[in-house]
Amino acid sequence: MEKELIQAGKIKLRAPESEDLEVMFYLENGDDSWGEGMVTGPYSRYQLKKYIEENQNDLFSDRQLRLMIEHEDFGTVGIIDICAFEPRHMHGEIGIVVRREFRRCGIARTALNLFEQHCFRVLGLHQLYAYIRKENTACLHLFASAGYERVGILRSWFYVKNNFQDVCLVQKINKLAE
């Protein structure tokens, strides 16, 4: 896989561009994303514009890597990223969001596979992990189908809609590094 081209079939992962501002605003602030992470407030267009302009798109300098998921026929359909990157231990938290109308059709699975290959083969990460609400069976299935192992349950970990919810911790270790 070439460093400049992260693509399989009709799915391509690429750096955010200024034209992605509205899609990012929609996906980052969507109602269905609020229960899945640690963000406590919405992102403004100004913040996202500044992120696009200033981010180096280098995991090691930014401690995060966000790529847009683009479908050849439908344009930008999602975002996949690593946050909480820990360079000393070579692991990072992975997240993915796909526009609702493009879910359950294989786009997320292809994007996850491409991103994982990039992280393991090109960047040399040792492992990726994700926190997934126990009720989010579609996401749990996605990660399980990609070979992520459920390694624990964090009780009452996320506070969503006036209720504490359990979270599954899933991880995948880079077999190439062993």
Side-chain angles (χ1 to χ4, degrees), residues 80-143:
I80 191 164
D81 67 356
I82 290 180
C83 64
F85 172 62
E86 190 54 57
R88 179 171 180 234
H89 304 293
M90 297 302 288
H91 61 68
E93 180 182 347
I94 188 169
I96 185 168
V97 61
V98 174
R99 287 177 25 203
R100 185 173 281 129
E101 62 268 30
F102 297 108
R103 293 178 187 167
R104 301 180 196 271
C105 59
I107 292 172
R109 179 67 182 90
T110 300
L112 182 58
N113 184 53
L114 285 169
F115 195 63
E116 178 185 296
Q117 287 179 36
H118 180 72
C119 291
F120 288 162
R121 293 182 181 167
V122 177
L123 301 177
L125 268 63
H126 176 65
Q127 69 176 279
L128 296 169
Y129 65 91
Y131 298 104
I132 304 168
R133 281 185 313 111
K134 196 173 176 182
E135 293 78 19
N136 191 343
T137 55
C139 192
L140 286 169
H141 177 74
L142 167 67
F143 278 85

Side-chain angles (χ1 to χ4, degrees), residues 5 13 16 25 28 49 85 95 117 128 131 143 151 156 160 166:
L5 188 63
L13 304 181
F25 184 78
E28 296 284 2
K49 183 176 187 264
F85 172 62
Q117 287 179 36
L128 296 169
Y131 298 104
F143 278 85
V151 294
S156 297
V160 181
D166 295 347

Side-chain angles (χ1 to χ4, degrees), residues 14-18 20-21 24 28 43-59 62-68 79-83:
R14 59 169 178 75
E17 302 282 348
S18 58
D20 296 315
L21 181 60
M24 287 179 74
E28 296 284 2
Y43 290 102
S44 69
R45 284 180 178 82
Y46 173 77
Q47 288 169 311
L48 293 170
K49 183 176 187 264
K50 191 172 178 180
Y51 171 84
I52 292 169
E53 291 170 352
E54 296 178 2
N55 192 278
Q56 300 299 309
N57 222 40
D58 180 327
L59 180 62
D62 299 330
R63 296 269 179 120
Q64 66 176 327
L65 177 63
R66 180 179 294 166
L67 297 176
M68 306 308 289
I79 300 172
I80 191 164
D81 67 356
I82 290 180
C83 64

